[in-house]
Every structure is written in C-alpha cells, then in structure tokens.
Coordinates of all heavy atoms in Angstrom, one line a residue:
I28 N 18.7 104.0 138.3 CA 17.6 104.6 139.0 C 16.3 104.2 138.2 O 15.3 103.9 138.8 CB 17.7 106.1 139.2 CG1 16.8 106.5 140.3 CG2 17.3 106.8 137.9 CD1 17.0 107.9 140.8
G29 N 16.4 104.1 136.9 CA 15.2 103.7 136.1 C 14.8 102.3 136.4 O 13.6 102.0 136.5
H30 N 15.7 101.4 136.7 CA 15.4 100.0 137.0 C 14.7 100.0 138.4 O 13.7 99.2 138.5 CB 16.7 99.2 137.1 CG 16.4 97.8 137.6 ND1 15.8 96.8 136.9 CD2 16.7 97.2 138.8 CE1 15.7 95.7 137.6 NE2 16.3 95.9 138.8
N31 N 15.1 100.7 139.4 CA 14.5 100.7 140.7 C 13.0 101.2 140.6 O 12.1 100.7 141.3 CB 15.3 101.6 141.7 CG 16.6 100.9 142.0 OD1 16.7 99.7 141.9 ND2 17.5 101.7 142.5
I32 N 12.8 102.2 139.8 CA 11.4 102.7 139.6 C 10.5 101.7 139.0 O 9.4 101.5 139.4 CB 11.4 104.0 138.8 CG1 12.1 105.1 139.6 CG2 10.0 104.4 138.4 CD1 12.4 106.4 138.8
S33 N 11.0 101.0 138.0 CA 10.2 100.0 137.3 C 9.9 98.8 138.2 O 8.8 98.2 138.2 CB 10.8 99.5 136.0 OG 12.0 98.8 136.2
V34 N 10.9 98.4 139.1 CA 10.6 97.3 140.0 C 9.6 97.7 141.0 O 8.7 97.0 141.4 CB 12.0 96.9 140.7 CG1 11.7 96.0 141.9 CG2 12.9 96.3 139.7
T35 N 9.7 98.9 141.6 CA 8.8 99.5 142.5 C 7.4 99.6 142.0 O 6.4 99.2 142.6 CB 9.2 100.8 143.1 OG1 10.5 100.7 143.6 CG2 8.3 101.4 144.1
F36 N 7.3 100.0 140.7 CA 6.0 100.1 140.1 C 5.2 98.8 140.0 O 4.0 98.8 140.2 CB 6.2 100.7 138.7 CG 4.9 100.9 137.9 CD1 4.1 102.0 138.2 CD2 4.4 100.0 137.0 CE1 2.9 102.3 137.5 CE2 3.3 100.3 136.3 CZ 2.5 101.4 136.6
Y37 N 5.8 97.7 139.8 CA 5.2 96.5 139.7 C 5.0 95.7 141.0 O 4.4 94.6 141.0 CB 5.9 95.6 138.6 CG 5.7 96.1 137.2 CD1 6.8 96.8 136.6 CD2 4.5 96.0 136.6 CE1 6.6 97.3 135.3 CE2 4.3 96.5 135.3 CZ 5.4 97.2 134.7 OH 5.2 97.7 133.4
Q38 N 5.5 96.2 142.1 CA 5.3 95.5 143.4 C 3.9 95.8 143.9 O 3.3 96.8 143.7 CB 6.3 96.1 144.4 CG 7.7 95.6 144.2 CD 8.7 96.1 145.3 OE1 8.4 97.1 145.9 NE2 9.8 95.4 145.4
K39 N 3.4 94.8 144.6 CA 2.1 95.0 145.2 C 2.2 95.9 146.4 O 3.2 95.8 147.1 CB 1.5 93.6 145.7 CG 1.1 92.7 144.5 CD 0.5 91.4 145.0 CE 0.2 90.5 143.8 NZ -0.4 89.3 144.3
P40 N 1.2 96.7 146.7 CA 1.3 97.5 147.9 C 1.4 96.7 149.2 O 0.8 95.6 149.2 CB 0.0 98.3 147.9 CG -0.7 98.0 146.6 CD 0.0 96.9 146.0
Y41 N 2.1 97.1 150.1 CA 2.3 96.4 151.4 C 1.6 97.2 152.5 O 2.0 98.3 152.8 CB 3.7 96.1 151.7 CG 3.9 95.5 153.1 CD1 3.7 94.2 153.3 CD2 4.2 96.3 154.2 CE1 3.8 93.6 154.5 CE2 4.3 95.7 155.4 CZ 4.1 94.4 155.6 OH 4.2 93.8 156.8
S42 N 0.7 96.6 153.1 CA 0.1 97.1 154.3 C -0.5 96.0 155.1 O -1.3 95.2 154.6 CB -0.9 98.2 154.1 OG -2.0 97.7 153.3
D43 N 0.0 95.8 156.3 CA -0.5 94.7 157.2 C -1.7 95.2 158.0 O -1.5 95.7 159.1 CB 0.7 94.3 158.1 CG 0.3 93.1 158.9 OD1 -0.8 92.5 158.7 OD2 1.1 92.8 159.8
L44 N -2.9 95.1 157.5 CA -4.0 95.6 158.2 C -4.4 94.8 159.4 O -5.0 95.3 160.3 CB -5.2 95.7 157.3 CG -5.1 96.7 156.1 CD1 -6.3 96.6 155.2 CD2 -4.9 98.1 156.6
D45 N -3.9 93.6 159.5 CA -4.1 92.7 160.6 C -3.4 93.3 161.9 O -3.7 92.9 163.0 CB -3.7 91.3 160.4 CG -4.7 90.6 159.4 OD1 -5.9 91.0 159.4 OD2 -4.3 89.8 158.6
R46 N -2.4 94.1 161.7 CA -1.7 94.7 162.8 C -2.7 95.6 163.7 O -2.4 95.9 164.8 CB -0.6 95.6 162.4 CG -1.0 96.9 161.7 CD 0.1 97.8 161.2 NE -0.3 98.8 160.3 CZ -1.0 99.8 160.5 NH1 -1.5 100.0 161.7 NH2 -1.4 100.7 159.6
M47 N -3.9 95.9 163.1 CA -4.8 96.7 163.8 C -5.5 96.0 165.0 O -6.0 96.6 165.9 CB -5.9 97.2 162.9 CG -5.4 98.1 161.8 SD -6.6 98.7 160.7 CE -7.5 99.8 161.8
V48 N -5.5 94.6 164.9 CA -6.1 93.8 166.0 C -5.4 94.2 167.3 O -4.1 94.2 167.4 CB -6.0 92.3 165.7 CG1 -6.5 91.5 166.9 CG2 -6.8 92.0 164.5
G49 N -6.1 94.6 168.3 CA -5.6 95.0 169.6 C -5.5 96.5 169.8 O -5.3 96.9 170.9
M50 N -5.5 97.2 168.7 CA -5.4 98.7 168.8 C -6.6 99.3 169.4 O -7.7 98.7 169.4 CB -5.2 99.3 167.4 CG -3.9 99.1 166.8 SD -3.8 100.1 165.3 CE -2.0 100.0 165.0
I51 N -6.4 100.4 170.0 CA -7.5 101.2 170.7 C -7.9 102.3 169.8 O -7.0 103.0 169.2 CB -7.0 101.7 172.1 CG1 -6.5 100.6 173.0 CG2 -8.1 102.5 172.7 CD1 -7.6 99.6 173.3
G52 N -9.2 102.6 169.7 CA -9.7 103.7 168.9 C -10.9 104.3 169.6 O -11.1 104.0 170.8
T53 N -11.6 105.2 168.9 CA -12.7 105.9 169.4 C -14.0 105.7 168.6 O -13.9 105.7 167.3 CB -12.4 107.4 169.5 OG1 -11.2 107.6 170.2 CG2 -13.6 108.2 170.1
A54 N -15.1 105.4 169.2 CA -16.4 105.3 168.5 C -16.8 106.6 168.0 O -17.1 107.5 168.8 CB -17.4 104.6 169.4
N55 N -16.9 106.8 166.7 CA -17.4 108.1 166.1 C -18.9 108.2 166.3 O -19.5 109.3 166.4 CB -17.1 108.2 164.6 CG -15.6 108.4 164.4 OD1 -14.9 108.9 165.2 ND2 -15.2 108.1 163.2
T56 N -19.6 107.1 166.2 CA -21.1 107.0 166.3 C -21.4 106.0 167.4 O -20.6 105.2 167.8 CB -21.7 106.6 165.0 OG1 -21.3 105.3 164.7 CG2 -21.3 107.6 163.9
D57 N -22.7 106.0 167.8 CA -23.2 104.9 168.6 C -23.0 103.6 167.8 O -23.4 103.7 166.6 CB -24.6 105.1 169.0 CG -24.8 106.1 170.1 OD1 -23.8 106.5 170.7 OD2 -26.0 106.5 170.3
I58 N -22.6 102.6 168.4 CA -22.5 101.3 167.7 C -23.5 100.4 168.2 O -23.4 99.9 169.4 CB -21.1 100.7 167.8 CG1 -20.0 101.7 167.2 CG2 -21.0 99.4 167.0 CD1 -18.6 101.3 167.5
S59 N -24.6 100.2 167.5 CA -25.6 99.2 167.8 C -25.6 98.2 166.7 O -26.3 98.4 165.7 CB -27.0 99.9 167.9 OG -27.0 100.9 169.0
H60 N -24.8 97.3 166.9 CA -24.5 96.3 165.8 C -23.6 96.8 164.8 O -22.6 96.2 164.4 CB -25.8 95.7 165.2 CG -26.7 95.0 166.1 ND1 -26.3 93.8 166.7 CD2 -27.9 95.3 166.6 CE1 -27.3 93.4 167.6 NE2 -28.3 94.3 167.5
E61 N -23.8 98.1 164.3 CA -22.9 98.6 163.3 C -22.8 100.2 163.5 O -23.8 100.8 163.9 CB -23.3 98.3 161.9 CG -22.3 98.7 160.9 CD -22.6 98.2 159.5 OE1 -22.6 96.9 159.3 OE2 -22.8 99.0 158.6
G62 N -21.6 100.7 163.3 CA -21.4 102.1 163.4 C -20.0 102.5 162.8 O -19.5 101.7 162.0
S63 N -19.4 103.6 163.3 CA -18.1 103.9 162.7 C -17.1 104.2 163.9 O -17.5 104.7 164.9 CB -18.1 105.0 161.7 OG -18.4 106.2 162.4
V64 N -15.8 103.9 163.7 CA -14.8 104.1 164.7 C -13.6 104.8 164.0 O -13.4 104.7 162.8 CB -14.3 102.8 165.4 CG1 -15.5 102.2 166.2 CG2 -13.8 101.8 164.4
Y65 N -12.8 105.5 164.8 CA -11.5 106.1 164.3 C -10.4 105.3 165.0 O -10.2 105.3 166.2 CB -11.5 107.5 164.7 CG -10.4 108.3 164.1 CD1 -10.4 108.7 162.8 CD2 -9.2 108.6 164.9 CE1 -9.3 109.4 162.3 CE2 -8.2 109.3 164.4 CZ -8.2 109.7 163.1 OH -7.2 110.4 162.5
V66 N -9.6 104.6 164.1 CA -8.5 103.8 164.6 C -7.3 104.0 163.6 O -7.5 104.0 162.4 CB -8.9 102.3 164.6 CG1 -7.7 101.4 165.1 CG2 -10.1 102.0 165.4
A67 N -6.1 104.2 164.2 CA -4.9 104.3 163.4 C -5.0 105.4 162.3 O -4.5 105.2 161.2 CB -4.5 102.9 162.8
G68 N -5.6 106.5 162.7 CA -5.7 107.6 161.8 C -6.7 107.5 160.7 O -6.7 108.3 159.7
E69 N -7.6 106.5 160.7 CA -8.6 106.4 159.7 C -10.0 106.0 160.3 O -10.0 105.5 161.4 CB -8.2 105.2 158.7 CG -7.0 105.5 157.9 CD -6.7 104.5 156.9 OE1 -7.6 104.2 156.1 OE2 -5.6 103.8 157.0
T70 N -11.0 106.4 159.6 CA -12.4 106.0 160.0 C -12.7 104.7 159.3 O -12.5 104.5 158.1 CB -13.4 107.1 159.6 OG1 -13.0 108.3 160.2 CG2 -14.8 106.7 160.0
W71 N -13.3 103.8 160.2 CA -13.6 102.4 159.7 C -15.1 102.1 160.1 O -15.6 102.6 161.1 CB -12.8 101.4 160.4 CG -11.3 101.4 160.1 CD1 -10.4 102.3 160.6 CD2 -10.7 100.6 159.1 NE1 -9.2 102.0 160.0 CE2 -9.3 101.0 159.1 CE3 -11.1 99.6 158.3 CZ2 -8.4 100.4 158.3 CZ3 -10.1 99.0 157.5 CH2 -8.8 99.4 157.5
T72 N -15.7 101.3 159.3 CA -17.0 100.7 159.7 C -16.7 99.7 160.8 O -15.7 98.9 160.7 CB -17.7 100.0 158.5 OG1 -17.9 101.0 157.5 CG2 -19.0 99.4 158.9
A73 N -17.5 99.7 161.8 CA -17.3 98.8 163.0 C -18.6 98.0 163.3 O -19.7 98.5 163.2 CB -16.8 99.5 164.2
R74 N -18.4 96.8 163.9 CA -19.5 96.0 164.4 C -19.2 95.6 165.8 O -18.1 95.4 166.1 CB -19.7 94.8 163.5 CG -20.2 95.2 162.1 CD -20.8 94.0 161.4 NE -21.3 94.5 160.1 CZ -21.0 94.0 158.9 NH1 -20.2 93.0 158.8 NH2 -21.6 94.5 157.9
S75 N -20.3 95.5 166.6 CA -20.1 95.1 168.0 C -21.4 94.3 168.3 O -22.5 94.6 167.8 CB -20.0 96.2 168.9 OG -20.0 95.8 170.2
E76 N -21.2 93.3 169.2 CA -22.4 92.5 169.7 C -23.1 93.2 170.8 O -24.3 92.8 171.1 CB -21.9 91.1 170.1 CG -21.3 90.3 169.0 CD -20.7 89.0 169.5 OE1 -20.8 88.7 170.7 OE2 -20.1 88.3 168.6
V77 N -22.5 94.3 171.4 CA -23.2 95.1 172.4 C -23.2 96.5 172.0 O -22.4 97.0 171.2 CB -22.5 94.9 173.8 CG1 -22.6 93.4 174.2 CG2 -21.1 95.4 173.7
H78 N -24.1 97.3 172.6 CA -24.2 98.7 172.3 C -23.0 99.4 172.9 O -22.6 99.2 174.0 CB -25.5 99.3 172.9 CG -25.5 100.8 172.8 ND1 -25.9 101.4 171.6 CD2 -25.2 101.8 173.6 CE1 -25.9 102.7 171.7 NE2 -25.5 103.0 173.0
I79 N -22.4 100.3 172.0 CA -21.2 101.1 172.4 C -21.6 102.6 172.1 O -21.8 102.9 171.0 CB -19.9 100.7 171.7 CG1 -19.6 99.2 172.0 CG2 -18.8 101.6 172.1 CD1 -18.4 98.7 171.2
P80 N -21.6 103.4 173.2 CA -21.9 104.8 173.0 C -20.8 105.6 172.2 O -19.6 105.3 172.3 CB -22.0 105.4 174.4 CG -22.0 104.3 175.3 CD -21.4 103.1 174.6
A81 N -21.2 106.6 171.4 CA -20.3 107.4 170.7 C -19.3 108.1 171.7 O -19.7 108.4 172.8 CB -21.1 108.5 169.9
G82 N -18.1 108.2 171.3 CA -17.1 108.8 172.1 C -16.3 107.8 173.0 O -15.3 108.2 173.7
S83 N -16.8 106.6 173.1 CA -16.2 105.6 173.9 C -14.9 105.0 173.3 O -14.8 105.0 172.1 CB -17.1 104.4 174.1 OG -18.3 104.8 174.8
S84 N -14.0 104.6 174.1 CA -12.8 103.9 173.6 C -13.2 102.5 173.3 O -13.9 101.8 174.0 CB -11.7 103.9 174.7 OG -11.2 105.2 174.9
V85 N -12.6 102.0 172.1 CA -12.9 100.6 171.7 C -11.6 99.9 171.4 O -10.6 100.6 171.1 CB -13.8 100.6 170.4 CG1 -15.2 101.2 170.8 CG2 -13.2 101.4 169.3
R86 N -11.6 98.6 171.5 CA -10.5 97.8 171.1 C -10.9 96.9 169.9 O -12.0 96.3 169.9 CB -10.1 96.9 172.3 CG -8.9 95.9 171.9 CD -8.6 95.0 173.1 NE -8.0 95.9 174.2 CZ -8.6 96.1 175.4 NH1 -9.8 95.6 175.6 NH2 -8.1 96.9 176.3
V87 N -10.0 96.9 168.9 CA -10.2 96.1 167.7 C -10.0 94.6 168.0 O -8.9 94.2 168.5 CB -9.3 96.5 166.5 CG1 -9.5 95.6 165.3 CG2 -9.5 98.0 166.2
L88 N -11.0 93.8 167.8 CA -10.9 92.3 168.0 C -10.5 91.6 166.8 O -9.9 90.5 166.8 CB -12.2 91.8 168.6 CG -12.7 92.4 169.9 CD1 -14.0 91.8 170.2 CD2 -11.7 92.1 171.0
Q89 N -11.0 92.1 165.6 CA -10.9 91.3 164.4 C -11.1 92.3 163.2 O -11.8 93.3 163.4 CB -11.9 90.2 164.4 CG -11.9 89.3 163.2 CD -13.0 88.2 163.4 OE1 -13.9 88.4 164.2 NE2 -12.9 87.2 162.6
R90 N -10.5 92.0 162.1 CA -10.8 92.7 160.9 C -11.3 91.8 159.8 O -10.7 90.7 159.5 CB -9.5 93.4 160.3 CG -9.7 94.3 159.1 CD -8.5 94.7 158.5 NE -7.6 93.7 158.0 CZ -7.7 93.1 156.8 NH1 -8.7 93.4 156.0 NH2 -6.9 92.1 156.5
N91 N -12.4 92.1 159.2 CA -13.0 91.3 158.1 C -13.2 92.3 156.9 O -14.1 93.1 156.9 CB -14.4 90.8 158.5 CG -14.3 89.7 159.6 OD1 -13.4 88.9 159.6 ND2 -15.2 89.8 160.5
G92 N -12.2 92.2 156.0 CA -12.2 93.2 154.9 C -12.1 94.6 155.4 O -11.1 94.9 156.1
L93 N -13.0 95.5 155.2 CA -13.0 96.9 155.6 C -13.8 97.1 156.8 O -14.1 98.3 157.2 CB -13.4 97.8 154.5 CG -12.5 97.7 153.2 CD1 -13.0 98.6 152.2 CD2 -11.0 98.1 153.6
V94 N -14.2 96.0 157.5 CA -15.1 96.2 158.7 C -14.3 95.6 159.9 O -13.7 94.5 159.9 CB -16.4 95.4 158.5 CG1 -17.3 95.5 159.8 CG2 -17.2 95.9 157.3
L95 N -14.3 96.4 161.0 CA -13.6 96.0 162.2 C -14.7 95.5 163.3 O -15.7 96.1 163.4 CB -12.9 97.2 162.8 CG -11.8 97.8 162.0 CD1 -11.2 99.0 162.7 CD2 -10.8 96.9 161.5
K96 N -14.4 94.4 163.9 CA -15.2 94.0 165.1 C -14.5 94.5 166.3 O -13.3 94.4 166.5 CB -15.2 92.4 165.2 CG -16.1 91.9 166.3 CD -16.2 90.4 166.3 CE -17.1 90.0 167.4 NZ -17.2 88.5 167.5
V97 N -15.3 95.3 167.1 CA -14.7 96.0 168.3 C -15.5 95.6 169.5 O -16.6 95.1 169.5 CB -14.8 97.5 168.0 CG1 -13.9 97.9 166.8 CG2 -16.2 98.0 167.9
E98 N -14.8 95.9 170.7 CA -15.4 95.8 172.0 C -15.2 97.1 172.8 O -14.2 97.8 172.5 CB -14.9 94.6 172.7 CG -13.4 94.8 173.2 CD -12.9 93.6 174.0 OE1 -13.7 92.7 174.3 OE2 -11.7 93.6 174.3
L99 N -16.0 97.4 173.7 CA -15.8 98.5 174.6 C -14.6 98.3 175.5 O -14.5 97.2 176.1 CB -17.1 98.7 175.5 CG -17.2 99.9 176.4 CD1 -17.2 101.2 175.6 CD2 -18.4 99.8 177.2
V100 N -13.8 99.3 175.6 CA -12.6 99.2 176.5 C -13.1 99.3 178.0 O -13.9 100.1 178.3 CB -11.6 100.3 176.2 CG1 -10.5 100.3 177.3 CG2 -11.0 100.1 174.8
E101 N -12.7 98.4 178.8 CA -13.2 98.3 180.2 C -13.1 99.6 181.0 O -13.9 99.8 181.8 CB -12.4 97.2 180.9 CG -12.7 95.8 180.4 CD -14.2 95.4 180.6 OE1 -14.8 95.7 181.7 OE2 -14.7 94.8 179.7
D102 N -12.1 100.4 180.7 CA -12.0 101.7 181.5 C -13.2 102.6 181.3 O -13.6 103.3 182.2 CB -10.7 102.5 181.0 CG -9.5 101.9 181.5 OD1 -9.5 101.0 182.4 OD2 -8.4 102.2 181.0
N103 N -13.9 102.4 180.2 CA -15.1 103.2 179.9 C -16.2 102.8 180.9 O -17.0 103.7 181.4 CB -15.7 103.0 178.5 CG -14.8 103.7 177.5 OD1 -14.4 104.8 177.7 ND2 -14.6 103.0 176.4
L104 N -16.3 101.6 181.3 CA -17.3 101.1 182.2 C -17.1 101.7 183.6 O -18.1 102.1 184.2 CB -17.3 99.6 182.3 CG -17.6 98.8 181.0 CD1 -17.4 97.3 181.2 CD2 -19.0 99.1 180.5
N105 N -15.9 101.9 184.0 CA -15.6 102.5 185.3 C -15.9 103.9 185.3 O -16.4 104.5 186.3 CB -14.1 102.2 185.7 CG -13.8 100.8 185.9 OD1 -14.7 100.0 186.2 ND2 -12.6 100.4 185.6
N106 N -15.6 104.6 184.2 CA -15.8 106.1 184.1 C -17.3 106.4 184.1 O -17.7 107.5 184.5 CB -15.1 106.7 182.9 CG -13.6 106.6 183.0 OD1 -13.1 106.5 184.1 ND2 -13.0 106.6 181.9
Q107 N -18.2 105.5 183.6 CA -19.6 105.8 183.6 C -20.2 105.8 184.9 O -21.3 106.4 185.1 CB -20.3 104.8 182.6 CG -19.9 105.0 181.2 CD -20.5 103.9 180.3 OE1 -21.3 103.1 180.8 NE2 -20.3 104.0 179.0
D108 N -19.6 105.2 185.9 CA -20.2 105.1 187.2 C -19.9 106.3 188.0 O -20.5 106.5 189.1 CB -19.5 103.9 188.0 CG -20.0 102.6 187.4 OD1 -21.0 102.5 186.7 OD2 -19.2 101.6 187.6
L109 N -19.1 107.2 187.6 CA -18.7 108.4 188.4 C -19.8 109.4 188.4 O -20.6 109.6 187.6 CB -17.5 109.1 187.7 CG -16.2 108.2 187.8 CD1 -15.1 109.0 187.0 CD2 -15.8 107.9 189.2

C-alpha cells in the first residue's frame, strides 16, 4: 500500500478541461466582451463577441487557460420574443 501511495503522490493531476467545449452553462453576469459563467459546477471568466444577458444559457466554444469563449444558446433568442 505504501508503494501505491508514493506512486500516486508523484503523478500529475489529470483533468481534461477541453471536455468543456460544447457544454451548456449559465451567464452569471451580463457578458459584454467579458463576464462570468457557471459551467460544470464551477464559475469561470467568459468572453463573447456579442452581448449576452445575465441568466442566459451559453455554450462553451473554446477554452483559453482559465477563460472560456462562449456563445448565446439559440433557445434564448426564441424565448425573448414571447
């Protein structure tokens, strides 16, 4: 058991953050070039080329370090017309 603990201790942490691409989250703030979103159980800094209102659903397009590039989910556009 001691050997397994020492092997685990020296392993690099594994997390595939690129798996977030395509995930749906929620805009915590208005995103006017930059804001924050909640995706996969965590709050992230997000960037968008268009204004996204707080509370809207967003889709992750890309991850650059700790910043996500997001877009407005199309269903939001239909719901705003009601």
Side-chain angles (χ1 to χ4, degrees):
I28 201 165
H30 173 72
N31 290 339
I32 291 172
S33 65
V34 169
T35 302
F36 181 77
Y37 290 104
Q38 286 181 339
K39 292 183 179 181
Y41 173 78
S42 59
D43 182 12
L44 295 177
D45 290 328
R46 69 179 165 70
M47 297 180 69
V48 173
M50 286 187 167
I51 304 296
T53 304
N55 288 339
T56 64
D57 284 348
I58 303 172
S59 296
H60 299 293
E61 189 168 297
S63 72
V64 295
Y65 187 77
V66 180
E69 296 186 58
T70 300
W71 294 82
T72 299
R74 293 197 175 126
S75 175
E76 295 175 2
V77 298
H78 175 78
I79 298 176
S83 299
S84 293
V85 296
R86 177 178 294 110
V87 177
L88 299 175
Q89 183 178 17
R90 183 188 63 82
N91 294 319
L93 298 176
V94 178
L95 303 179
K96 183 176 181 181
V97 298
E98 69 178 356
L99 184 65
V100 173
E101 291 297 321
D102 289 344
N103 287 318
L104 298 175
N105 295 334
N106 292 338
Q107 290 176 1
D108 295 337
L109 298 176

